Amino acid sequence: WPPALGREPLWLLPAALYTLLQLLTAVSLYDLWLDDILPFSCCPMFMPPRSPFDPLPKWQTMTTAPLTGNVRRSGSMEPLYWSPCSGVFGLSRADLQKLPQRVVWFGSTTGMPPEAERFVRAECRAKPFLLFANFELSAELKCLLHRWVDAINSGELADAWDGAKMEQLLQLQQAGLDAFRACVDRLPQRTAGPPADCGFSPPTAVLKGE
């Protein structure tokens, strides 16, 4: 360290400052969720660049849990880290009903690389459409989610640079969010409690748009 500092101080000091700031971020337990760019970096963590129309699996989550840190409160759980399809952080049917949030998980698992298969339960692999929820979904919401997954699975990589197609996808996404909110607003406030049988779709079922 001293010889390097003496020979190339202008090169070493910026690197040392960068490393110290990275360490400070790590040891301070700063939550990078939704603000996840490390100091002096343009690379978001945990978000590899990809096209919505690529052939890889897609998995989406809609939840009433705020994504600004309130899920850290006692009795809450981060629904984005757990999934009914996960072979690592899985949720049973009973566990879904214990969540204090209303949550919908949906997507497709076609085009899965062999290296990723161990992270997904066997009965959830190679499915063109999967849908799970811990509350009753409207027919409109089921249809919109199915249409959204169909749209991204039937597109081409070049569609990500087509403004009109991306606008259609965003409008469909917003319609799904609005339908989700409408479903939730009709329900009583959710509190953690014993399991209940309401709106869970088995992983082997492929729901068709209604």
Side-chain angles (χ1 to χ4, degrees):
W1 172 272
L5 182 60
R7 292 177 182 176
E8 297 291 347
L10 295 181
W11 291 101
L12 183 61
L13 289 177
L17 177 61
Y18 176 82
T19 303
L20 288 174
L21 287 173
Q22 299 278 24
L23 290 173
L24 177 63
T25 302
V27 301
S28 64
L29 301 180
Y30 176 63
D31 192 351
L32 294 169
W33 177 244
L34 292 187
D35 186 20
D36 50 4
I37 298 180
L38 290 169
F40 305 112
S41 172
C42 63
C43 300
M45 296 179 63
F46 317 122
M47 295 185 182
R50 56 178 294 191
S51 167
F53 302 101
D54 66 26
L56 297 172
K58 288 99 175 175
W59 197 244
Q60 315 294 322
T61 306
M62 293 191 295
T63 175
T64 56
L67 300 183
T68 55
N70 289 346
V71 292
R72 307 295 187 187
R73 292 182 304 179
S74 176
S76 295
M77 193 185 92
E78 175 55 87
L80 302 183
Y81 291 159
W82 299 77
S83 167
C85 280
S86 175
V88 181
F89 297 107
L91 284 172
S92 68
R93 177 172 183 168
D95 288 338
L96 293 188
Q97 305 305 329
K98 297 176 184 177
L99 293 177
Q101 307 97 351
R102 306 285 184 173
V103 190
V104 178
W105 298 264
F106 68 100
S108 66
T109 54
T110 56
M112 184 177 300
E115 296 82 2
E117 289 184 353
R118 66 188 180 93
F119 298 105
V120 180
R121 289 164 46 193
E123 61 269 29
C124 293
R125 299 172 192 165
K127 300 293 183 181
F129 183 67
L130 288 168
L131 176 61
F132 301 88
N134 62 357
F135 65 100
E136 189 65 42
L137 306 183
S138 67
E140 178 192 13
L141 179 54
K142 292 178 183 178
C143 180
L144 286 167
L145 299 183
H146 201 294
R147 286 175 56 196
W148 195 88
V149 173
D150 283 347
I152 58 177
N153 282 341
S154 61
E156 303 291 337
L157 284 175
D159 291 345
W161 285 268
D162 187 321
K165 290 186 177 180
M166 288 301 300
E167 180 63 26
Q168 293 174 359
L169 189 63
L170 290 172
Q171 290 177 356
L172 188 57
Q173 182 185 50
Q174 186 60 53
L177 290 171
D178 292 341
F180 170 75
R181 176 55 60 186
C183 278
V184 169
D185 288 345
R186 290 194 294 265
L187 298 171
Q189 184 175 359
R190 186 65 183 263
T191 57
D197 185 6
C198 56
F200 177 87
S201 299
T204 53
V206 178
L207 303 182
K208 302 297 183 183
E210 298 180 29

